Amino acid sequence: MHTIVLESDTDFEGWRKAARKLALNDIAPTDVTWTVAGAEPELFSASPATSLSDAAKGTFNVPAKFVELAQTAILHRDPERFALLYRLLRRLRDNPDLIHVAIDSDITKLQAMAKAVRRDEHKMHAFVRFREIGREPNSHFVAWFEPEHHIVELAAPFFARRFADMAWSILTPDLCAHWDGHAISITPGVNKSDAPTKDRLEEVWLTYYANIFNPARLKTKAMQNEMPKKYWRNLPEAALIKPLIAEAERITRDMIAAEAGAPKKPQRREETMAKSHAPKTVDTGTESLAALREKAADCRACHLWKDATQTVFGEGPQHASVMMVGEQPGDKEDLAGKPFVGPAGQMLDKALKEAGIVRDRVYVTNAVKHFKFVPRGKFRLHQKPATPEIKACRPWYEREKASVKPELVVAMGATAAQSVLGKITPIGKTRGRIIEADDGTQVLVTVHPSYLLRLPDEDARAREYAHFVDDLRIVAKHLSAAAHAT
């Protein structure tokens, strides 16, 4: 009897070297016991592969497909996997075509093991939830996961690619993977008690999850197939799943019980598209802001609505003399459904106050009404809207303007300037002075408040902030003149 002791549960190279030597010495699979260092009985010695004859030197070939499957299947938690792989190695050496015999019991088991490992890897990619430790710029993100198989080293490169710009650790009972922004490192496993249980953005994430949970698309069995209950205990949103499902089922029952309404008149495709998309022409201003807001809630003019929580429409007096246009809602605005309530909104409020402007007197909106972002863990990082998205949303700006009838429009940032003026407009050449758009609208172009937040140098930030306030003082003078005129 030969006992082979591998260095770890995933020691494929150690298995391959030992299996090759065993096969060249014509050792039968039934005469080999495979184990892992630290798990072998005390009577086992070091790998007795050293006692095998070195006279049988040489090589032999097996199908490349077997090697590929074996590298994955060896990550399975079945303790008999090493023996299965060696048995197949011996059989494939004499009959390479066996790899294509789908009904062979060993081949079937090998494929099932590899499939289970790949599925577990996919689940790890989908159900890891990072929690923040510390605060930027020294924050670290930590997650806890309980894999079915030995997949930590296999799955780690995915997280390094997806979350390359943040330092993270994924803790598991088997191994822990860490990323410092440059390289992945692997350390021994830990207990769940070592993982954080909550962070400062937990409530934001739960609010977002509850808002995007769509009862109309709920298929409980399909959801549980993709996200089995065993994963729920490690997900922050798990506490919401049962009540959200119950609420969805209640809504469904109520809809079924409700009296059916009269069927709608069939519409041509052109009519349907006209109602779901923003119009290409602008009304003369008979639409109220409340009516526009209700219509914009169902806007499907571009793809951004699919990932956003909701349409974020403008806010302010119906007949404000000044209309301020930003770029797009951010994360906080997307959740709240109101424009400029996040960090950029706080910067704007501060600057307006310093310039002598009461925000309640101006109408504030965005060129693009849905939040465009790229996910980074539980965070959603802002992405600049593209020209097609700006053009798709421009009719909403035109309808807002027609309804409010402002005497002055303030375009904050390049995206807003492109929407207001209908063309790409450099900020530097037009900033700080009132110009006239092609339709006769008086326009003041300035920077977006978020630009000030992104400046890394404190002196530059103070200088640009003062410049921004000077731009707003031009708006204040206009408001003052409008007030005296009335």
Side-chain angles (χ1 to χ4, degrees), residues 8 60 85 95 175 200 249 261 320 369-370 372 427 469 476 483:
S8 70
F60 58 89
L85 294 177
N95 180 15
L175 297 173
R200 63 189 178 91
E249 291 172 347
K369 304 295 194 269
H370 285 114
K372 182 179 182 180
I427 301 298
V469 172

Side-chain angles (χ1 to χ4, degrees), residues 217-366:
R217 298 179 181 177
L218 177 63
K219 294 182 179 180
T220 305
K221 289 184 178 180
M223 185 186 78
Q224 291 182 358
N225 285 338
E226 289 302 314
M227 186 172 66
K229 287 188 176 181
K230 64 184 177 183
Y231 295 108
W232 291 16
R233 62 180 179 270
N234 296 325
L235 300 176
E237 64 270 25
L240 299 178
I241 294 176
K242 286 186 177 180
L244 286 171
I245 290 175
E247 178 66 10
E249 291 172 347
R250 184 193 65 77
I251 293 173
T252 302
R253 289 194 301 270
D254 291 347
M255 290 174 63
I256 294 173
E259 183 179 352
K264 294 181 179 180
K265 180 182 177 181
Q267 292 180 319
R268 292 178 301 174
R269 182 176 182 275
E270 293 79 3
E271 294 173 339
T272 303
M273 294 292 286
K275 287 189 175 182
S276 62
H277 288 187
K280 300 302 179 183
T281 58
V282 181
D283 200 348
T284 57
T286 57
E287 298 173 293
S288 70
L289 289 174
L292 286 174
R293 183 176 293 105
E294 185 177 349
K295 292 176 182 178
D298 296 322
C299 181
R300 302 293 184 265
C302 73
H303 66 99
L304 295 183
W305 69 272
K306 295 180 180 179
D307 296 321
T309 303
Q310 58 191 313
T311 302
V312 180
F313 205 69
E315 189 174 61
Q318 172 69 65
H319 299 298
S321 62
V322 172
M323 181 175 182
M324 304 190 75
V325 184
E327 180 187 74
Q328 66 158 353
D331 183 78
K332 297 292 190 297
E333 289 80 6
D334 175 73
L335 296 173
K338 295 178 178 293
F340 285 94
V341 295
Q346 294 170 16
M347 178 68 74
L348 176 61
D349 288 345
K350 178 184 175 184
L352 286 172
K353 185 177 181 180
E354 192 165 333
I357 300 172
V358 179
R359 174 165 165 170
D360 292 344
R361 291 186 58 192
V362 300
Y363 184 82
V364 182
T365 189
N366 282 298

